[in-house]
Structures are given as structure tokens and as C-alpha cells.
Amino acid sequence: MGKRKDQPINDDEDVHMESAADNDADSNSEDLDMINVDFEMFDPQPAHDFHGLKHLLRQLFDSDSSLFDLSALTDLILSQPLLGTTVKTDGNESDPFAFLTVINLHEHASHPAIKPLSTYLLSKSASNPALHTSLKSLLSPDSPAQIGLILTERLINMPVQIVPPMYKMLLEEIEWALEEKEPYNFTHFLVLSKTYTEIVSKLDEMEMRPSKKWKKQKQKKAETFYYHPEDEVIRRRVGDEGAAGFKFDKEGEAADSKRAFSDMGIKSQGLMMLVEKDDFGKLVADLEGLFKP
């Protein structure tokens, strides 16, 4: 399979970030601190990317990350270096700030990192009976289906514009792999990600006296927010039967530790979305049209 050339997303693309300190000093000021960043895309590098990828996987699985052998999962990702993409800012040997890859859940069904992960995903899909039924059938050992598990994560404040090129290159790499008879003839793709809801902080809850206003706030249905804008696009395309949100087994006290920009606590939740092969190319086109560099 031919190796993809390393390439920057856009040499002229700038990422603009506002200084919070400047904003506090003068809320009417239009001055911004500009940070110019060139993002480069690389194949996964077994010699350099282990710790960076493992960190991003821990972020993806959130409080449930301790349930999985992330070292074994990272090694599996790095064992297919011509499939998937990392995004870096300081050359090939630097740590990845983002990644996207796909793993064949059938080909690696007995792998020590994939077997418990497949069981976990099937269990969590029970929050949507329609999806659970589909996954149970698709993951059956005698099923002719081939599910590609898409794992992707990035550091906070990484621009969404890096996402469409990663998905587009994944499509190309799968085509190249199939030409060489490699096991990537997927019938479905399962995208794993996260959402969050804002909740009343436990710290505030202990300080607040019971009141009608507070009771209404607790009873109000929490709105779901997306960490990554592209997930909302994917969620719309797969429809209600193709997506399942789920609670993490080990929620811990994470909500109050994520209050940096809000008076509310933040409660993370898992999200899985099943995309059929025929829709995957259309999805990539959607992302390219919405999130242009």
C-alpha cells in the first residue's frame, strides 16, 4: 500500500485565540492575541506516538478509561501505521495533538484490547434498543458484516477544520488497502465520541437552600452539548436509530473539576454512532462542506 505524503492542512491557515486576560481588562477592546499555527498531518509513528496517542485515548474514554488496556489499544493502532492520521505542530517526532484511525472489530475480535471494548460498546448501546439490536447482529461471529471502529480525539481548542482532511484521507487509505487485499472492506463504521450536559454543581448544591426556583432547575431536562462540532453533523445523518448516548460506569467527581468556564458542573457522556458504508462518503462530503479551512 502506497505511503501517503505528510502534508500541512494549510500553510496560510491561522488559528486565532482571544486572551482572557485582555478581555477582562477591557471588555470593549477589539484587540486579540493572534497565534499562528501550522498543522501537519502524519501517519502514526510507532517510534514517537505511543504516549501521545495513549493520552488522547484516555481523554476519549474519560472516566471509563481505566476499564481498558489502553497500552494494548495504542500498540494496535500503531501496528497499522499506514491507516489513520495524526496532527502535529512541531514535526514528525513531536507529540500528536489529534488523531483519527479505524480498527476492524471482526479482524481483531480476540485481541485483548478489542474483546472487552466490543463487549462494552454492545452493552452501552442498550440505551437505544434499535441500535443495540443492529450491533448485536453485526458483531455476531457468523455475521458477514465488517464494522470499522473509528477512534478520534484532539486536544481542547484544536480547530474543527482539521477534521475533514483526516476523514477524507481515511477513505483514500481504505481504498489503497483494499487494492492490496487488506481486511478493511467495511460494511459499517462505528464512531465513538462524547457529549456533555451542564448540571448543578455538588459544591453549589450543598450551599443552596431548597427553593422553588432551585427545584425547577433540577427538574429541567438537561440539554446535550457536543465537545466536537462534527459529531452533531454525524448524529443528524445517522438519525435516531443509529446513535446511542450512554453513561460512563465510573463518573466519579469529574463534574466539579470541569467548571473552569461555567458556574455549572459538566457531566460527560459517551456517544456512539453507526454509519453505513454507503453513507460514509456522503458524511465526509458534509464535513468538507461545513468545516472548510
Side-chain angles (χ1 to χ4, degrees), residues 258-271:
K258 300 176 181 178
R259 299 178 63 196
F261 305 106
S262 174
D263 291 334
M264 301 289 286
I266 291 178
K267 182 179 180 180
S268 294
Q269 300 151 145
L271 173 67

Side-chain angles (χ1 to χ4, degrees), residues 126-160:
S127 62
N128 183 338
L131 178 60
H132 181 71
T133 300
S134 295
L135 276 183
K136 188 174 182 180
S137 174
L138 294 172
L139 289 172
S140 173
D142 57 356
S143 172
Q146 296 286 303
I147 298 181
L149 175 64
I150 291 182
L151 298 174
T152 180
E153 187 57 288
R154 59 184 184 271
L155 297 184
I156 190 171
N157 289 337
M158 287 287 286
V160 68

Side-chain angles (χ1 to χ4, degrees), residues 162-290:
I162 68 170
V163 173
M166 289 197 293
Y167 271 102
K168 185 176 182 179
M169 282 188 285
L170 181 64
L171 276 178
E172 295 174 349
E173 290 164 343
I174 290 173
E175 290 178 3
W176 298 340
L178 291 176
E179 290 176 0
E180 301 205 2
K181 310 300 181 183
E182 295 189 28
Y184 299 115
N185 190 20
F186 299 116
T187 59
H188 299 77
F189 295 90
L190 186 63
V191 183
L192 184 62
S193 191
K194 294 190 302 181
T195 61
Y196 69 92
T197 56
E198 291 182 339
I199 61 174
V200 176
S201 164
K202 290 184 178 180
L203 300 177
D204 292 339
E205 186 175 340
M206 290 187 292
E207 296 175 0
M208 297 173 67
R209 294 182 179 180
S211 65
K212 290 183 179 180
K213 182 179 179 181
W214 180 63
K215 288 179 180 178
K216 287 182 180 180
Q217 187 176 9
K218 287 193 69 177
Q219 293 171 357
K220 184 179 179 181
K221 186 177 181 180
E223 181 181 357
T224 298
F225 299 93
Y226 294 85
Y227 283 108
H228 303 316
E230 68 272 16
D231 289 338
E232 189 169 6
V233 178
I234 301 172
R235 175 66 181 78
R236 285 199 302 266
R237 176 162 283 280
V238 302
D240 290 338
E241 293 189 355
F246 58 90
K247 295 180 180 180
F248 292 120
D249 291 342
K250 298 178 177 291
E251 292 181 356
E253 301 297 327
D256 281 320
S257 68
K258 300 176 181 178
R259 299 178 63 196
F261 305 106
S262 174
D263 291 334
M264 301 289 286
I266 291 178
K267 182 179 180 180
S268 294
Q269 300 151 145
L271 173 67
M272 67 180 79
M273 299 170 285
L274 186 66
V275 185
E276 294 185 5
K277 177 182 179 181
D278 292 341
D279 287 332
F280 194 67
K282 300 173 186 176
L283 171 62
V284 174
D286 288 346
L287 296 178
E288 287 184 298
L290 288 170

